[in-house]
């Protein structure tokens, strides 16, 4: 069974840090991955992305504060979030292109999301 599971969310004070994980299972490999977020009443937006080759890009609002990385051996992608602000509060989702044994490529596969709340 193919699964894409986010974890690591929670409540943190402004200025604090969290590390989110996006772990894929039931697959052969994970290719391009994006972290998205959606705040209440707002559209889902891309926060950070990493290609299979390791190239990264970030939304302007998180540059210098967030870092995306991947561990291909574990089929896991991380989002290290530092200097968190209240406006970073949102549900964070992982989106990935996955190579599976039985179904070939699954493009644009979403996880269930993890809540991040930045508040004092």
């Amino acid at each position: 069974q193919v699964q894409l599971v986010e974890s690591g969310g929670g409540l943190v004070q402004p200025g604090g840090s969290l590390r989110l994980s996006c772990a894929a299972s039931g697959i052969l490999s994970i290719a391009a991955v994006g972290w998205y977020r959606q705040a209440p009443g707002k559209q889902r937006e891309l926060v950070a992305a990493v290609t299979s080759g390791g190239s990264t890009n970030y939304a302007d609002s998180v540059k210098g504060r967030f870092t995306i990385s991947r561990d291909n051996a574990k089929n896991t992608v991380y989002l290290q979030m530092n200097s968190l602000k209240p406006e970073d509060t949102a549900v964070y989702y992982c989106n990935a292109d996955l190579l599976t044994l039985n179904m070939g490529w699954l493009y644009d596969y979403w996880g269930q999301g993890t809540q991040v709340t930045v508040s004092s």
Side-chain angles (χ1 to χ4, degrees):
Q1 182 182 0
V2 176
Q3 287 190 309
L4 195 62
V5 179
E6 301 97 331
S7 62
L11 173 64
V12 64
Q13 292 186 341
S17 298
L18 284 174
R19 188 177 82 154
L20 306 183
S21 298
C22 170
S25 59
I27 63 163
L28 295 176
S29 66
I30 186 169
V33 179
W35 278 101
Y36 291 76
R37 67 186 180 188
Q38 187 167 21
K42 295 189 176 181
Q43 288 189 333
R44 192 171 295 188
E45 62 174 352
L46 178 65
V47 174
V50 61
T51 68
S52 56
S55 297
T56 59
N57 68 281
Y58 298 91
D60 288 342
S61 59
V62 306
K63 280 181 182 176
R65 301 189 298 122
F66 290 11
T67 302
I68 189 170
S69 62
R70 61 190 297 153
D71 184 336
N72 291 330
K74 296 181 179 181
N75 286 327
T76 300
V77 174
Y78 304 97
L79 185 68
Q80 178 67 44
M81 305 187 296
N82 299 328
S83 302
L84 283 161
K85 305 175 181 180
E87 52 263 43
D88 294 318
T89 295
V91 178
Y92 283 70
Y93 297 90
C94 181
N95 175 274
D97 295 335
L98 307 173
L99 178 60
T100 70
L101 179 62
N102 296 320
M103 295 179 285
W105 282 101
L106 297 178
Y107 295 102
D108 233 14
Y109 202 89
W110 290 94
Q112 85 290 346
T114 185
Q115 176 70 47
V116 171
T117 302
V118 184
S119 174
S120 54

